[in-house]
Each structure stands twice: as C-alpha cells, then as structure tokens.
Amino acid sequence: MSKRLVLIGHPVAHSLSAAMQQAALDAAGIDARYELLDVPLPELADVIEGLRGDEFLGANVTIPHKERVVPMVDRLTDDAQSTGAVNTITREGRRLVGHNTDVPAFKVALDELVGRQKMPRTAVVLGAGGGARAVVHGLITAGFLRVIVFNRHLHRAEGLVRFFGKGAAHMELKAMPWHESIIEVELSKAKVLVNASSVGLGSDESPIPGELLPPELMVMDLVYRPRVTRLLADAEAANAAATMNGELMLLHQGAAAFELWTGQTAPLELMRAQLDAALAADAAGQDTDAAVPAAAGDPA
Ligand code: NDP
C-alpha cells in the first residue's frame, strides 16, 4: 500500500514542499505520496489524531499550526521542546513524535547569510509565530546578545520572550510593540533583521517601510514566494550587507524531515533543483500549482 505524507497548514497552497519531497521520495524508490492538506483550526486535532494510522509515514506542519500541534503529539524532540513548535511529525507505532527541523535549517541559512564575517550579536525579528521561535532559538544558540522581537499582537511576542526565559537570561531578549518609530530605532542598533512574519507571502507587501532600513544590515526573509520579496528588494536598495530569502531554510528543513521519515540520506541536490525549478516557474508565472494566496493576514 502506498504510504502518505501530508503538509498540514492553513493555507497550504503557497507551499513548494510537495515539489521537492515527492521528487526525493520517487528518487529513493519509496512508495509514498506527499499531499497538501488545508486544515482549519477546528479540524486540527482530528487530523493529527488520524496520523496514527499505518498508512502515514508522517507529516509536516506549517502556518499557523506549529505551536498548536505541540500538545497533540506524544513526545517532543529537543529542538521541538526548546522552541515550543513542531514542523515535522514522525510515528513510533501509534505514538506521534514532534520534531522541529526549522531549527537546524535556520542555522544553515544564518551561517550562509553571515558568510565569512564574524557572527553578529544584535538582531531584530519581525513576527512571533512558529517560525520566529526557531529563529530566536537559533540566534540565542549562535551567541547573539541582543534580540528584539516585534509582533503585530504584542502579547504573542511577550509570550515568546517568556518561553525562552532562562535560556536567554545571559542576554537581552525583548518584545516591543510594533511601532515604526521603535522598529527604526532598533534597526539602527542591529546587524541582522529576520522577517518571520508571513507578510509578503504571495504579495508585494513588506512588513515595514523601506525607509526604516539602515545600510549594511544583513536581512533574511523567511518568505520564499515570491523569491525577491518587497522587503528584500527594499533592503538591496538600502545597501544591505547581505540578503536572503527563505529558500535555503525551506530546503534544509525539508531534507531533515525527509531523513526523519525515511531513515535515508536526503537527495539534497535533487531537492534543491526541484525547488529552484518550482520557484523559477512561479516567477515566470507558469506555475501549475494552485494560485498563491494573499498574505495570510491574521491566522488566529
Ligand atoms: P504563524 O502563523 O505561526 O505566524 C505568523 C506570523 O506572521 C505572526 O507573527 C503574525 O502576527 C504575523 N503576521 C501575519 N499577518 C500579519 C500582518 N498582516 N501584519 C503583521 N504581522 C502579521 O506562521 P509561521 O511562524 O509558521 O510562519 C511565518 C512565515 O515564515 C510564513 O510566511 C512562513 O511561510 C515562513 N516560514 C518559512 C520557513 C522556511 O523554511 N523558509 C520556515 C518557517 C516559516 P500575529 O501573531 O500578530 O498574528
């Protein structure tokens, strides 16, 4: 019987995971289908429960469910535990294990963004959802000493900061209200900016006006569709030191998930090529995938 893997999110049509995961499964000779499953919140618990069935190899979890899935699985790995977010689920018999492959993937992306320079110590993070948790965790473990988190709903950023509590006691990890004047001041003190909000996903919007961006900033946008987001275009125009979209992180979180589900080494170059082709087709407007949705708006 063909096995199933599902990407659980709401919306999911923007995702390019199916393109790279299906190619990797086929190349490895694994009889499994990777499907996109649009799951609104009221159905989430039932869908997660259903993953216990033998036909499932596992799942990916994406916006806006990464945190909500945490209490629905039976065991968390260290990375899932230390972020309070799950993006990959595997099965141990009927038990579900929650992993967070965004964590190692963000580290790969951050190292690439910084390149040969000394790892910076100061960052601004926009967004406080599941993706932001992997980002903040990654910045803390990379030795950042000042990380300011802005979120549209301040209480969520405050919750994130509280969550990291003791692990960030040696540094300044702060939540601040989303006011452009405050963001501008903090950006002027920071070396790295990470957009972990979903603003810009499938749209030409930026979470912040380009005028707020100082020169010489290293800017990472977790959004990868479109490839050059408005934020990244504005950062380039402001003479950013480096810019990167979410493609590399997407590739590496996917490769790590593939290895967890299959026990096989991920065909990284094949997955990279699939992703590249899907993004190029998207940019050329030739996508056969479902239409890119408008920015997720309030996912709650
Ligand atoms: P969540 O749904 O958990 O969080 C969404 C975040 O976006 C929240 O901080 C939310 O703020 C914010 N947001 C949404 N709409 C707006 C808006 N109109 N104005 C300001 N803020 C807004 O999603 P994730 O954290 O899982 O994902 C966030 C983004 O990061 C997505 O675009 C996702 O695709 C991307 N991502 C990419 C990865 C990669 O591998 N490249 C990995 C992980 C994430 P609020 O709390 O106030 O609603």
Side-chain angles (χ1 to χ4, degrees):
M1 184 183 66
S2 191
K3 297 278 189 186
R4 295 177 69 192
L5 282 159
V6 284
L7 171 68
I8 297 166
H10 183 65
V12 284
H14 66 279
S15 176
L16 298 176
S17 288
M20 63 173 179
Q21 294 293 2
Q22 193 61 56
L25 291 164
D26 295 346
I30 295 166
D31 183 15
R33 276 176 301 124
Y34 189 98
E35 305 157 27
L36 304 184
L37 216 56
D38 197 312
V39 180
L41 181 58
E43 293 165 25
L44 183 63
D46 284 347
V47 170
I48 298 296
E49 195 57 30
L51 297 177
R52 297 177 194 280
D54 272 346
E55 71 271 31
F56 285 99
L57 276 184
N60 274 144
V61 181
T62 187
I63 49 169
H65 298 320
K66 286 179 184 179
E67 293 153 86
R68 293 199 178 99
V69 157
V70 167
M72 298 177 185
V73 297
D74 303 297
R75 182 167 80 75
L76 296 173
T77 60
D78 287 350
D79 283 342
Q81 184 89 55
S82 53
T83 50
V86 163
N87 82 325
T88 301
I89 297 174
T90 56
R91 282 180 47 222
E92 284 173 346
R94 284 188 58 77
R95 284 165 54 83
L96 299 178
V97 183
H99 308 252
N100 193 324
T101 67
D102 285 340
V103 168
F106 174 71
K107 184 176 179 344
V108 172
L110 179 66
D111 287 347
E112 179 83 16
L113 179 78
V114 172
R116 289 159 175 259
Q117 300 196 45
K118 198 164 157 277
M119 186 56 77
R121 298 288 175 230
T122 49
V124 165
V125 177
L126 304 176
R133 283 173 173 247
V135 168
V136 170
H137 177 71
L139 295 172
I140 295 171
T141 53
F144 278 65
L145 294 174
R146 181 174 164 87
V147 175
I148 309 299
V149 183
F150 290 94
N151 197 52
R152 177 177 56 175
H153 295 104
L154 177 61
H155 66 89
R156 199 170 179 193
E158 289 171 338
L160 181 152
V161 167
R162 261 196 312 278
F163 178 86
F164 285 101
K166 281 194 198 131
H170 64 289
M171 61 176 292
E172 231 180 319
L173 174 63
K174 281 189 185 167
M176 288 194 182
W178 189 294
H179 291 310
E180 286 175 9
S181 56
I182 308 178
I183 295 176
E184 186 169 26
V185 170
E186 289 305 325
L187 284 176
S188 71
K189 299 185 209 163
K191 290 263 187 282
V192 173
L193 166 65
V194 182
N195 177 36
S197 82
S198 47
V199 180
L201 175 63
S203 79
D204 192 37
E205 287 170 72
S206 173
I208 52 171
E211 306 84 78
L212 304 194
L213 297 165
E216 297 305 318
L217 203 58
M218 296 177 180
V219 183
M220 189 192 302
D221 197 337
L222 263 48
V223 173
Y224 52 85
R225 196 175 189 184
R227 235 170 178 170
V228 182
T229 60
R230 172 54 43 204
L231 174 66
L232 294 184
D234 289 347
E236 292 285 353
N239 285 323
T243 58
M244 176 186 281
N245 70 10
E247 202 174 329
L248 190 65
M249 182 170 169
L250 181 73
L251 171 68
H252 282 273
Q253 65 76 30
F258 177 92
E259 295 186 355
L260 289 168
W261 296 320
T262 67
Q264 298 194 26
T265 304
L268 196 66
E269 290 317 312
L270 173 73
M271 294 172 87
R272 192 195 303 274
Q274 287 294 324
L275 199 53
D276 193 50
L279 282 162
D282 185 48
Q286 298 161 354
D287 200 5
T288 51
D289 209 337
V292 181
D298 188 344

